[in-house]
Each structure stands twice: as structure tokens, then as C-alpha cells.
Amino acid sequence: MSFSIIIFTARHKISEIKHIIEKDRNTDGDYWLNGGNEMIYKILDTFNQSDWKELEEDLVNFKDYEHSIFARTILH
């Protein structure tokens, strides 16, 4: 039996967060409070220090709605 370890780069993790936001951007607030935020939290929980630095640098490239949803996720 062989096992493979998948290591995701910060770029991939940030892309996944943006994908979640894009896919569900027009969904009401109850969705985000009752599950949508959790998907983003699970990705953020895997961040290491360099991932956080890359996210900080990439935040300037987020679209307005991505900023809004991401900020609300972080604050809840």
C-alpha cells in the first residue's frame, strides 16, 4: 500500500478561497453563517506563516465583493 501526500501551495489555497466566494457570492447571509464560512475556515486552518504573508500581499488583488465576503468571514 502506498500513500501520497498532497501539499497545496499558498496560491492554490487562496485560489480555493476565491472559488468558494465566487461560486456562492449571491447566496444570502444565512448560508455564510451556517456553512459557507466554515469552508473558508478549513482552508485558513491549513495556512502557515508564509501562506499568511502571501494572502496579505494578494488581498490587494481581491475584487470588492471578495473583500467584503472574506472580511465578514474573518469577523465571524
Side-chain angles (χ1 to χ4, degrees), residues 15-25 31-32 36-37 39-40 43 69:
S15 177
E16 285 297 309
I17 289 170
K18 286 181 160 191
H19 175 73
I20 291 167
I21 291 171
E22 175 64 33
K23 178 175 65 79
D24 297 318
R25 72 187 261 198
Y31 164 78
W32 290 102
N37 289 346
M39 291 186 291
I40 294 174
I43 296 170
I69 292 171

Side-chain angles (χ1 to χ4, degrees), residues 32 36-38 40-41 44 68-76:
W32 290 102
N37 289 346
E38 188 63 32
I40 294 174
Y41 294 149
L44 293 175
S68 177
I69 292 171
F70 186 73
R72 283 180 281 164
T73 296
I74 296 295
L75 293 172
H76 283 94

Side-chain angles (χ1 to χ4, degrees), residues 16-75:
E16 285 297 309
I17 289 170
K18 286 181 160 191
H19 175 73
I20 291 167
I21 291 171
E22 175 64 33
K23 178 175 65 79
D24 297 318
R25 72 187 261 198
N26 293 319
T27 307
D28 70 16
D30 287 341
Y31 164 78
W32 290 102
L33 290 175
N34 296 311
N37 289 346
E38 188 63 32
M39 291 186 291
I40 294 174
Y41 294 149
K42 285 180 181 180
I43 296 170
L44 293 175
D45 285 346
T46 68
F47 273 39
N48 60 36
Q49 190 170 359
S50 65
D51 294 341
W52 283 107
K53 182 159 180 54
E54 192 163 335
L55 175 62
E56 180 181 359
E57 293 168 0
D58 196 46
L59 281 173
V60 297
N61 298 318
F62 275 40
K63 297 173 184 163
D64 286 344
Y65 71 88
E66 291 172 331
H67 278 133
S68 177
I69 292 171
F70 186 73
R72 283 180 281 164
T73 296
I74 296 295
L75 293 172

Side-chain angles (χ1 to χ4, degrees), residues 3-17:
F3 294 96
S4 61
I5 297 174
I6 299 172
I7 299 174
F8 293 108
T9 64
R11 178 72 32 225
H12 177 80
K13 294 174 188 180
I14 294 167
S15 177
E16 285 297 309
I17 289 170

